[in-house]
Amino acid sequence: MSVPQYRKAAALALAAGLGLTLAACSTKSDDATSAAGGKVTITVDCQPVGSQKELLKNWNDDVAEFQRQNPDIVVKSVSVGEQCNNPPDFTARLAGGTVTDLFYGYMTDLQQVLDSGQAMDITEYANKDTIPTWDSVDPALKEVFSDGGKLYAVPAKNYSMGLVYNKVLFQQAGLDPNTPPKTWPEVRAAAKKISALGNGIAGYSEYSAGNTGGWHFTSLLYSQGGQVLTEDGKKADFNNAMGRQVLQNLKDMRYGDNSMGSRQLLQWGDLLTNAAAGKVGMFIGAPDATQAIVSQFQGRFQDWAMAPLPGQDGPAKATLGGGEGYFFKKGLSPDQVKAGLKWIAYQKLTPGRGQFDYVRAKPQNYPVGLPQPLLFANGSDAQKQELELRKANANVDTANFALFEAGPVPIKGEPRNAQAIYAVLDAAMSGVLTNPNANIDALLKTAGDKVDKLLAAES
């Protein structure tokens, strides 16, 4: 759940009045196996929405060029609106059988996709013939989308989280933008000074709805050295001192200092809208959060910088890493699978093309130079090519990410059944941020009991 360029743009679909419904992305594979002249047709979701004109033009241009290079393949793009970045909607679409031939999902979606029976095993098709950079793709990312030695999706994004902060607000509050907080007590102190600027500014802002609260709780817990589940994955493991510290830190800022603003129950777009308006001093996020602030919410690149995720009494013990990829709908023909892999290779895994077309992105004012997406193994041929292109076309001050890159925090993956667990943990986050009398122990116990029942039901 980072901020992928196309997926997050799709969140604006409903507001743009596109009027798409679940039925709009329903695709029967036998209807798409061929087209006139023996061409292979594939449907792909998460096309940018109409309100994002440049992104949509880029996508359409890529489809046209891909089809020119592969005249036997027809790519039919589908925008499914908010469902491309809203986990509950994705689950509904999956359960309803309305996914496209290639459908976008989080790394955390693997289990529910497998449980739905919608996913196709693509192991025998994913290779250098269909994806020329396949040997450069980080093996750990391939493993995330694998089960029992079988591959079900191709990685398309990867990220890790840190502290994103507004340099302008830091300066106005008398803080040094070059020395951002390294611990949560320091975050609290800085947030208090920033919020004292008034004008509705939150020193620190946090999610607490739409599964995003649970997502951030997980990263905050990792920073403490905790884990969401026990090692065997059978029980919740956050109702402890580290889980309590996460919620206590937030409660202290929210009600002890009044430094988090009065509006809560924020989801992804809510927080970034506020950030773009200069109303947020700090929040945790991935590097491409700054991209969304600018390209979708009209903020400014130069206002933002990023540092490693803080820890409680020193460096963070770990940070959350994750990402997204494309699954393949069960029942596709071998030719459709191969065509789909070629499209993903072109759009997502080729330096200089698609999401890595930095020459195109630079004059469009989309950020080039962010340390993301990290899809290729360090030292691999594709990684070297991507890095060279990124440096040659950088249009953002890479110094703004220097601290983040110089102090890498160990990355810890998302827990099993992450989206369902995040939905449960939303209640703990919203409880501590909306009720000054919230009982942290009770919130954690309730969440832990619910997660235990969830896991037991699936075992």
Side-chain angles (χ1 to χ4, degrees):
M1 291 175 72
S2 74
V3 192
Q5 183 171 348
Y6 295 123
R7 185 170 194 179
K8 294 305 182 185
L12 303 179
L14 297 182
L18 297 185
L20 294 173
T21 65
L22 288 175
C25 59
S26 178
T27 305
K28 295 182 180 179
S29 30
D30 58 349
D31 292 337
T33 53
S34 64
K39 293 184 178 181
V40 176
T41 300
I42 54 172
T43 56
V44 185
D45 68 5
C46 288
Q47 174 193 32
V49 299
S51 59
Q52 296 291 312
K53 294 180 180 179
E54 265 186 337
L55 292 180
L56 180 57
K57 183 180 185 301
N58 290 348
W59 175 280
N60 290 336
D61 288 348
D62 287 343
V63 170
E65 176 59 22
F66 174 77
Q67 291 181 150
R68 188 191 68 80
Q69 295 183 19
N70 300 274
D72 58 335
I73 299 174
V74 175
V75 177
K76 291 187 176 182
S77 305
V78 177
S79 175
V80 291
E82 190 174 349
Q83 296 168 58
C84 271
N85 80 324
N86 186 304
D89 285 347
F90 172 82
T91 298
R93 185 158 48 93
L94 191 66
T98 58
V99 294
T100 48
D101 296 336
L102 278 64
F103 59 99
Y104 207 85
Y106 297 132
M107 290 179 177
T108 55
D109 288 327
L110 176 62
Q111 191 58 53
Q112 70 163 324
V113 172
L114 293 178
D115 290 344
S116 75
Q118 299 282 328
M120 183 171 183
D121 173 9
I122 59 171
T123 310
E124 65 177 294
Y125 303 105
N127 51 52
K128 292 186 68 175
D129 291 334
T130 52
I131 303 177
T133 60
W134 189 240
D135 289 349
S136 292
V137 176
D138 192 330
L141 303 183
K142 299 176 186 178
E143 180 63 28
V144 169
F145 285 120
S146 299
D147 184 74
K150 298 179 180 180
L151 180 72
Y152 292 95
V154 177
K157 286 282 184 180
N158 184 40
Y159 73 92
S160 66
M161 298 178 73
L163 183 72
V164 184
Y165 62 99
N166 187 310
K167 296 190 299 179
V168 174
L169 293 180
F170 263 59
Q171 291 173 327
Q172 292 176 357
L175 299 166
D176 184 358
N178 296 315
T179 57
K182 296 182 175 65
T183 67
W184 289 111
E186 290 178 3
V187 168
R188 180 183 179 185
K192 191 173 182 178
K193 291 182 179 180
I194 294 169
S195 65
L197 294 171
N199 198 29
I201 294 172
Y204 177 84
S205 193
E206 191 53 272
Y207 295 126
S208 56
N211 293 26
T212 57
W215 169 45
H216 271 204
F217 176 92
T218 298
S219 192
L220 298 173
L221 183 65
Y222 287 174
S223 77
Q224 300 282 341
Q227 57 187 19
V228 174
L229 302 179
T230 55
E231 291 295 342
D232 60 10
K234 295 181 178 180
K235 291 281 188 179
D237 194 21
F238 50 77
N239 184 11
N240 50 38
M242 289 175 285
R244 285 191 290 276
Q245 188 67 67
V246 168
L247 296 186
Q248 189 64 55
N249 287 342
L250 295 175
K251 188 175 183 181
D252 288 343
M253 286 191 285
R254 172 70 176 94
Y255 290 108
D257 304 335
N258 194 29
S259 63
M260 293 185 66
S262 58
R263 185 188 172 198
Q264 298 300 324
L265 302 179
L266 302 179
Q267 298 191 49
W268 176 82
D270 303 321
L271 193 158
L272 296 187
T273 297
N274 295 341
K279 301 297 185 182
V280 175
M282 297 173 285
F283 65 96
I284 64 169
D288 62 355
T290 59
Q291 172 181 331
I293 287 173
V294 176
S295 64
Q296 296 181 47
F297 301 103
Q298 291 72 56
R300 305 194 313 164
F301 288 126
Q302 60 265 37
D303 292 352
W304 297 93
M306 190 166 178
L309 189 70
Q312 189 60 33
D313 302 309
K317 303 293 178 58
T319 186
L320 177 64
E324 302 87 17
Y326 270 97
F327 292 89
F328 288 66
K329 186 177 182 179
K330 184 173 287 187
L332 298 182
S333 70
D335 285 343
Q336 282 181 292
V337 176
K338 293 175 184 177
L341 290 170
K342 287 181 179 180
W343 163 248
I344 295 173
Y346 182 91
Q347 176 62 209
K348 302 295 183 182
L349 295 171
T350 299
R353 296 289 190 183
Q355 70 173 336
F356 293 118
D357 190 343
Y358 298 141
V359 173
R360 177 177 66 188
K362 183 177 181 179
Q364 292 179 342
N365 202 33
Y366 292 114
V368 179
L370 303 184
Q372 188 184 334
L374 304 175
L375 289 168
F376 304 118
N378 192 38
S380 65
D381 290 341
Q383 186 265 346
K384 294 175 182 176
Q385 294 171 24
E386 186 273 331
L387 183 59
E388 185 175 317
L389 285 169
R390 194 195 326 161
K391 289 182 176 179
N393 294 280
N395 61 1
V396 298
D397 187 354
T398 55
N400 289 335
F401 299 90
L403 292 174
F404 176 72
E405 293 193 87
V409 174
I411 296 174
K412 188 177 178 66
E414 299 182 85
R416 181 169 69 92
N417 296 314
Q419 294 303 332
I421 291 172
Y422 292 168
V424 171
L425 287 169
D426 270 358
M429 292 288 278
S430 62
V432 81
L433 292 175
T434 61
N435 180 7
N437 299 313
N439 184 313
I440 290 175
D441 288 338
L443 289 172
L444 289 174
K445 183 180 186 306
T446 297
D449 290 345
K450 288 183 178 180
V451 170
D452 286 347
K453 290 178 181 178
L454 184 156
L455 296 173
E458 296 192 355
S459 62

